[in-house]
Amino acid sequence: MTERLIGWIRSNENPSTIKHSARTAVAAVLSLLVAHLLRMPEAYWASISTLIVMQSTLGGALPISAQRFAGTALGASVGALIASRYPGNTLAFGIAVFAIGVLCAGVHIERAAYHYAGITLAIVMLIARNESAWTAAAYLFTEVSVGIVVGLAITAAWQEHRIGAAASAYRGRITPS
C-alpha cells in the first residue's frame, strides 16, 4: 500500500525540476502583479490559474488552459445567473452543478472543464460579496483569464523539455550520420 501511494506521488516521467520551479514562481508573481495593476479585487485568482496551467511545454499548457478558460466562462455565467435569483441557496447550487454536468456531457466537454465550471460556480454562488453576482463573476473570469494568459506566455517564452521516458527513448535512438 505504501509503495503504491509513493508511486502515485513520485514521477519518473515528468519530475519537478529547479527550472520548472523558477518558471512557475516567475509566472505566478507576474500574473499577480498584472491583476493588481488591473485593480482586480481578488487578484490571487490570477496566480492560482497560472499555477494550474503551467506545464513544461506550450503543447501541454494549451489544453489545460482552454479547459480552464471554457469551464470558468461557463461556471461564471451560470453562477451569476443562478446567484442573482437564488443567492446562497444550497438546492439551487446543487441543481446548477448537475445542470452544468449534463450540458458538458451532452456536448462532450472534457471532464476537467466541467470541474473548473463547478469550482467557478461554487465561488460565484457560495461566497458572500458586496457586489452583484454578475460583477463578481466578471471579476473572477477576468482574474482567471489573466492567469491563463500569463501562464501561457511564460510557458511559450521559457519552455522546458520533458525528461523521463520520452527523453530516454530519444537518447537511446541511433541516428544516421
Side-chain angles (χ1 to χ4, degrees):
M1 178 67 169
T2 303
E3 285 181 34
R4 181 178 291 174
L5 178 61
I6 291 170
W8 291 336
I9 298 169
R10 294 200 58 198
S11 174
N12 292 325
E13 288 289 317
N14 194 24
S16 293
T17 65
I18 293 172
K19 184 177 181 179
H20 182 73
S21 300
R23 290 170 60 244
T24 302
V26 167
V29 169
L30 183 60
S31 64
L32 184 62
L33 292 173
V34 169
H36 280 305
L37 283 173
L38 295 174
R39 301 192 185 284
M40 302 306 321
E42 296 176 330
Y44 54 85
W45 288 118
S47 280
I48 290 169
S49 294
T50 297
L51 292 168
I52 290 169
V53 303
M54 287 297 295
Q55 301 291 321
S56 296
T57 65
L58 188 58
L62 284 172
I64 194 75
S65 296
Q67 293 160 13
R68 176 84 167 135
F69 182 82
T72 299
L74 179 60
S77 300
V78 172
L81 179 67
I82 303 301
S84 64
R85 295 180 188 192
Y86 308 101
N89 186 301
T90 303
L91 180 59
F93 169 70
I95 291 169
V97 170
F98 181 72
I100 288 173
V102 169
L103 173 68
C104 289
V107 294
H108 304 288
I109 299 292
E110 179 68 36
R111 196 174 284 196
Y114 166 61
H115 289 179
Y116 295 130
I119 291 166
T120 303
L121 174 82
I123 293 165
V124 171
M125 286 191 69
L126 303 179
I127 296 175
R129 294 184 170 82
N130 293 329
E131 68 264 353
S132 76
W134 286 104
T135 301
Y139 280 140
L140 180 58
F141 177 76
T142 304
E143 291 152 357
V144 167
S145 296
V146 165
I148 291 168
V149 168
V150 171
L152 285 173
I154 295 295
T155 299
W158 187 2
Q159 289 203 30
E160 175 184 29
H161 299 290
R162 285 188 66 169
I163 60 175
S168 297
Y170 178 77
R171 282 192 297 260
R173 282 192 229 163
I174 299 172
T175 56
S177 351

